[in-house]
Amino acid sequence: MSDSPWHPASWRDRPVSQQPEWPDPGALEAALKTLSGLPPLVFAGEARRLRSSLAEVAAGRAFLLQAGDCAESFSDWSADIIRDKLKVILQMAVILTYGGGVPVVKVGRIAGQFAKPRTAATEKAGGVEIPAFRGHIVHDDAPTAEARVPDPTRMLTAYHQSASTLNLLRAFTKGGFADLSQVHVWNQEFVARSPAGRHYEALAGEIERALRFMSACGVDLSSEGKLHQVDFWTSHEALLLPWEEALTRRDSLTGDWYDCSAHLLWVGERTRGLDGAHVEFLRGVHNPVAAKVGPGATPADVLGLCEALNPERVPGRLTLIARMGAMKVGTALPPLLSAVADAGHPVVWACDPMHGNTFSSDGGRKTRRFDDVIEEIRGFFAAHAQVGTWPGGVHVELTGDDVTECLGGGSEVLEDDLPLRYTTTCDPRLNAGQSLDLAFRVAELLRA
Ligand code: PEP
Ligand code: CO
């Protein structure tokens, strides 16, 4: 496969799954033409910096925190929502850095995470069969056949929403909001009342004392750039290939192709087939890339992904995101870790403890138990300890809001609470308190 020449459209010669059926090819082409003339969202040099940071993770010297929405929304979108999501990710990173003692590479599922793969192509709504929801980049989520007609102009809306989300993230992370002196400010009031929030307050107090101590010792903290700004990278699933192709540009410095829709792109569990269009597309872009692997993946599948996506074995180029489920991680993961280690592929291994632990509650809402999420992370760390590899990171779906979508956790969401604040357009997310709780437990595992 990798012997054939690659170009941004070479995926079109492969079988492509999980794409919407666009009703008007002319309108699709017009939207893509506009998109391909718009400025890139990220720059190749940034993607290379992220790759270097991920190389540190692959070498066991840093930890990856990848987090954000399952699906970003066109309607539930505001400066406050972006800020609050960033707050909780910064809090988690501080907990992991301070509690776990490792540098943390921070990557959002944000500024482009709009397209969703679906297990079934249709769903039942009010007794009628309608197309399943594939994300706001394709159509609206209202449960009617009209709302689910794919509209290519939405790809332009997705571009503009990504650009403005990224703009705000850059402003927040480089303009003072992410300054370590703000650790207390990131703790939102409703979070501060939860057990994890109180635990966080204590940790933030320790950090403040440490900063005051260094200052009193004569260290000039104002000149330490790393205390005042953070690198925050964007990522999404490279699912909607026409959109990704239209944002793929040749870097003027190196002549290499980069998918400039995000710093890191991943291929999902449903589209990672070695002969499929998605792997073909990702193999040719020079961004760091990732692949999800579920419990059905064999060592040969995973080695195939390593060879297809990182034949030159560049550290930091490839992240494998295991999403096995709490019950299966202990048996399914170790053979994959061993195979990759024995083959000498320098990958980052991250744990997605969300997608293998989803079920429907009695009320029919998709949910996940916080305890299952933690159990899978424990199994992930145990598998790495067994094989002698580095548990490189976690990949979670979360929001900064006080939603009631996942069960349990410090603030104890019960099954009857699910309808209270269930606002996700796709999978259930951890709320801010549950996210901090998770970070404290991961920090403990890192320390151990
Ligand atoms: C996702 O990350 O939202 C997703 C659909 O994951 P997976 O491909 O692992 O099912
Ligand atoms: Co999801």
Side-chain angles (χ1 to χ4, degrees):
M1 175 185 70
S2 42
D3 294 340
S4 53
W6 185 93
H7 55 93
S10 58
W11 62 269
R12 292 177 183 269
D13 299 329
R14 310 269 167 184
V16 56
S17 53
Q18 297 284 346
Q19 304 299 294
E21 288 176 25
W22 303 101
D24 179 350
L28 173 64
E29 209 166 304
L32 293 174
K33 185 157 183 280
T34 304
L35 205 51
S36 60
L38 294 173
L41 291 170
V42 305
F43 304 104
E46 296 177 306
R48 283 192 287 274
R49 277 182 48 221
L50 172 57
R51 195 185 61 211
S52 310
S53 298
L54 290 171
E56 287 297 293
V57 181
R61 292 189 291 262
F63 193 75
L64 167 65
L65 172 62
Q66 191 176 10
D69 276 307
C70 179
E72 285 177 275
S73 166
F74 282 6
S75 40
D76 209 8
W77 176 60
S78 67
D80 287 359
I81 289 176
I82 298 166
R83 182 202 57 206
D84 293 345
K85 209 168 297 163
L86 179 65
K87 275 183 181 172
V88 73
I89 295 173
L90 292 173
Q91 288 183 285
M92 291 173 81
V94 158
I95 292 167
L96 292 167
T97 310
Y98 191 81
V102 283
V104 173
V105 181
K106 296 166 270 299
V107 180
R109 284 176 64 114
I110 199 166
Q113 174 52 24
F114 291 109
K116 298 311 300 173
R118 301 318 299 249
T119 305
T122 58
E123 64 191 43
K124 271 258 167 49
V128 287
E129 201 91 24
I130 61 168
F133 177 56
R134 292 188 178 277
H136 277 165
I137 195 169
V138 173
H139 49 202
D140 189 51
D141 58 292
T144 66
E146 303 80 69
R148 299 287 170 88
V149 176
D151 171 3
T153 64
R154 285 181 162 260
M155 288 197 274
L156 299 171
T157 309
Y159 169 89
H160 290 294
Q161 182 166 324
S162 300
S164 99
T165 301
L166 193 50
N167 180 54
L168 194 59
L169 289 170
R170 288 189 200 279
F172 279 144
T173 53
K174 303 296 177 188
F177 183 80
D179 192 300
L180 206 51
S181 65
Q182 303 294 310
V183 273
H184 278 296
V185 178
W186 303 334
N187 211 14
Q188 298 182 73
E189 214 190 316
F190 80 88
V191 188
R193 287 194 302 266
S194 73
R198 288 196 294 273
H199 194 172
Y200 176 83
E201 273 304 309
L203 181 144
E206 283 176 39
I207 291 174
E208 277 191 343
R209 271 196 301 283
L211 291 174
R212 276 203 303 273
F213 171 73
M214 282 192 286
S215 204
C217 290
V219 178
D220 177 11
L221 298 181
S222 64
S223 67
E224 292 294 334
K226 286 202 157 55
L227 298 178
H228 308 297
Q229 298 192 342
V230 304
D231 286 330
F232 185 81
W233 312 101
T234 61
S235 72
H236 61 259
E237 177 171 352
L239 182 72
L240 193 62
L241 292 178
W243 196 72
E244 304 299 341
E245 179 193 331
L247 289 168
T248 296
R249 310 290 162 80
R250 205 189 267 281
D251 172 33
S252 56
L253 286 178
T254 60
D256 290 331
W257 291 99
Y258 282 83
D259 181 349
C260 296
S261 69
H263 300 111
L264 179 147
L265 288 312
W266 78 84
V267 61
E269 164 72 358
R270 292 165 190 76
T271 50
R272 62 172 167 75
L274 294 177
D275 295 321
H278 292 84
V279 169
E280 170 60 20
F281 175 75
L282 283 188
R283 85 176 165 93
V285 296
H286 282 66
N287 308 60
V289 297
K292 294 277 202 96
V293 286
T298 63
D301 293 336
V302 173
L303 291 176
L305 285 167
C306 293
E307 283 302 321
L309 295 173
N310 193 17
E312 272 149 35
R313 303 177 180 221
V314 178
R317 154 75 177 169
L318 179 61
T319 296
L320 294 171
I321 305 167
R323 31 88 83 221
M324 301 295 174
M327 300 292 286
K328 295 185 180 158
V329 63
T331 49
L333 187 57
L336 306 182
L337 301 181
S338 300
V340 173
D342 291 349
H345 273 285
V347 306
V348 169
W349 275 107
C351 172
D352 166 356
M354 314 297 292
H355 290 89
N357 296 309
T358 316
F359 66 99
S360 276
S361 71
D362 289 342
R365 280 174 205 272
K366 262 209 262 182
T367 189
R368 293 155 174 163
R369 285 194 190 88
F370 182 80
D371 289 349
D372 293 341
V373 168
I374 297 302
E375 200 51 35
E376 177 156 357
I377 296 176
R378 285 189 192 288
F380 174 82
F381 272 78
H384 281 280
Q386 183 187 329
V387 177
T389 42
W390 172 240
V394 289
H395 176 121
V396 291
E397 290 182 341
L398 57 70
T399 165
D401 301 333
D402 194 12
V403 299
T404 52
E405 298 173 5
C406 291
L407 300 169
S411 35
E412 199 56 73
V413 175
L414 304 174
E415 208 151 325
D416 286 344
D417 300 331
L418 288 179
L420 295 177
R421 290 177 300 282
Y422 192 100
T423 56
T424 183
T425 55
C426 198
D427 289 340
R429 303 159 297 177
L430 299 172
N431 63 30
Q434 291 167 329
S435 301
L436 296 195
D437 201 344
L438 179 143
F440 278 114
R441 289 161 196 253
V442 174
E444 259 171 47
L445 290 166
L446 280 169
R447 258 203 312 269

